[in-house]
Amino acid sequence: MPHTDPEDRTRDRSRTEDAILAAARAVLIEKGFGGWGVNAIARAAGCDKQLIYRYYGGLDGLAEALGTEMARDIVTALAAVPVPQLNTYGELVAAMIDAQLHVLQGHPVMQRIIAWELSEANDLTRAFAAARSQALLGWFTRVKGDIATPPGIDAPAINAVLIAAVQQMVISSAAIGSFAGMPLAEPADWERLRMTLRHLALAAYDAREPAK
Amino acid sequence: MPHTDPEDRTRDRSRTEDAILAAARAVLIEKGFGGWGVNAIARAAGCDKQLIYRYYGGLDGLAEALGTEMARDIVTALAAVPVPQLNTYGELVAAMIDAQLHVLQGHPVMQRIIAWELSEANDLTRAFAAARSQALLGWFTRVKGDIATPPGIDAPAINAVLIAAVQQMVISSAAIGSFAGMPLAEPADWERLRMTLRHLALAAYDAREPAK
DNA sequence: TGCACATGTCACCACCCGGTGATATTTGCC
DNA sequence: GGCAAATATCACCGGGTGGTGACATGTGCA
């Protein structure tokens, strides 16, 4: 029976490609970028490491694939933000911050990649950071056209600071479960952070923030 | 001549101890924690790695020494903050944030250690994070007694968010020179960040921030 | 059927790592 | 001077890494 069903073939390139990609994610999540190598990934994927070189061109190509996935996930998350309902600049920023917090918190691969960027400066990590910046800034410039930018305020800097806080808090929570004495484990902790970020965004932009 | 001057001895324990510690800092700064190991440090110190084990008890003891130095540097930097001149809670927080930004920006070892904390969760990195948190919170609780805490505001959360932003921006600048499209290289960039953080702190706490 | 190719496996290489025991040399005291 | 201890060096171990060439086996087409 030479013509077997593609589903239960023992030799299926696309299947092993998926297995390698999944293993690449799993190893990155479990061991971090320090333990992210061909041997560990091949072991986790249950195949020979040679296939990583054949199908992805080695670690670099595999990392690129993860970066592409990450950028796509950010775009997807931002696309779900209900922009038309936001009528002030502060509300828009608060929504963006909220989306960023949400997607990053549920995305351990992105968390590891960000920690990677912060630890090693090379072409790969620079490409990671650029992809995320582009996804964020692209969405924002595309959306802010509808809403007036407050005058006399350094909006890009404030937005960068808020995004930076989100990143640091989420990455720190994954590593040690808290930050500067503020616990980051229970859902209530995250709600507290969410409210704080919203408060800051509104206080920075909208003259009178609504009572909470 | 058995009684040589201690200054030009070839065999001087305290001298090599200092050399090892300096090499530990240098290697951490240059290669990051991924390349921070006994072989590289001994090579940089110009001595045998055996001495690292003898004098510091291995990598763990050496890392502890670096952590102790870091905590001491934070305390020193905070001690220079002119607390008596600050009469509002927002001003106090702004001064703390400013001190934190200043010390971290001039402390590449601390930058690497923070990136380390964000990448690996073990007893060592947890001890690092705890030491920094303790230095910060200890100073703050010791100082805030003089100034009334604004009611109805989650001050610890806001402070944590601002500190988190500082950390993320500085670490990111060291790694890729910018963050979310905001350049972080020239002194003017840092002044811009400084002003933004101050604006946020005052907007969050003091009802009417002074005109800039 | 037979043959070419795609797919997967294995063995091996040089290199670096952390760690340790044995050994050499200097120092300082008696 | 002599001798013990402190200081420093060397050689080696097992193990892990990224990378590569040779080989085996399943697949699908002529």
Side-chain angles (χ1 to χ4, degrees), chain B residues 13-25 36 38 41 47 49-66 69:
Chain B
R13 170 162 179 167
S14 67
R15 261 177 89 90
T16 57
E17 280 180 350
D18 291 350
I20 289 174
L21 201 56
R25 288 190 222 103
W36 195 75
V38 278
I41 294 171
C47 71
K49 58 181 172 179
Q50 174 75 21
L51 302 183
I52 296 176
Y53 292 98
R54 256 214 276 279
Y55 296 155
Y56 288 93
L59 284 176
D60 293 350
L62 199 48
E64 265 184 46
L66 289 184
E69 280 190 339

Side-chain angles (χ1 to χ4, degrees), chain A residues 4 13 32-33 96 98 110 117 126 132 197:
Chain A
T4 52
R13 170 161 179 166
F33 61 91
M96 175 189 66
D98 205 67
M110 201 184 306
E117 296 170 17
R126 267 184 288 267
R132 290 187 303 108
L197 289 166

